[in-house]
């Protein structure tokens, strides 16, 4: 599944098709707050890696996160 939101078309965007994105960029892609994105990373719900001092979210992990949300039963 591809992300429904692709910032590649956003003028001046450097996200493009990067394999790794910052937590803030991931939050933008998911349309959630930075704090929520950080919590998801710390819980392991969003796959991330540490490169040097930076914590980066794996772009493919965003797809898996969304697929997991879609698999949850819907509340009435």
């Amino acid at each position: 599944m591809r992300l429904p939101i692709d910032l590649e078309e956003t003028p001046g965007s450097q996200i493009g098709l990067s394999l790794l994105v910052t937590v803030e960029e991931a939050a933008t892609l998911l349309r959630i707050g930075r704090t929520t994105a950080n919590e998801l990373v710390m819980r392991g719900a969003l796959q991330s890696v540490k490169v040097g001092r930076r914590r980066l979210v794996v772009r493919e992990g965003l797809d898996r996160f969304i697929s997991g949300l879609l698999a949850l039963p819907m509340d009435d």
Side-chain angles (χ1 to χ4, degrees), residues 1 6-7 15 20 23 32 41 43 46 50 53 57 60 66-67 70:
M1 179 176 128
D6 195 354
L7 295 184
I15 296 174
L20 300 172
V23 174
I32 60 176
V41 166
R43 284 196 337 235
L46 277 179
K50 193 157 186 180
R53 294 181 179 185
V57 175
E60 203 172 279
I66 294 169
S67 294
L70 292 172

Side-chain angles (χ1 to χ4, degrees), residues 69-76:
L69 291 176
L70 292 172
L72 294 173
M74 294 184 71
D75 293 332
D76 289 331

Side-chain angles (χ1 to χ4, degrees), residues 24-37:
E24 187 170 284
E25 290 168 338
T28 300
L29 288 167
L30 293 171
R31 304 267 206 251
I32 60 176
R34 191 178 70 228
T35 302
T36 301

Side-chain angles (χ1 to χ4, degrees), residues 4-67:
I5 304 162
D6 195 354
L7 295 184
E8 182 178 28
E9 300 171 5
T10 305
S13 174
Q14 294 183 8
I15 296 174
L17 297 176
S18 300
L19 298 176
L20 300 172
V21 296
T22 65
V23 174
E24 187 170 284
E25 290 168 338
T28 300
L29 288 167
L30 293 171
R31 304 267 206 251
I32 60 176
R34 191 178 70 228
T35 302
T36 301
N38 273 313
E39 289 173 3
L40 291 170
V41 166
M42 290 303 123
R43 284 196 337 235
L46 277 179
Q47 184 183 12
S48 68
V49 294
K50 193 157 186 180
V51 179
R53 294 181 179 185
R54 299 176 73 195
R55 173 67 57 183
L56 298 170
V57 175
V58 179
R59 183 79 177 246
E60 203 172 279
L62 294 174
D63 291 331
R64 283 194 292 277
F65 175 73
I66 294 169
S67 294

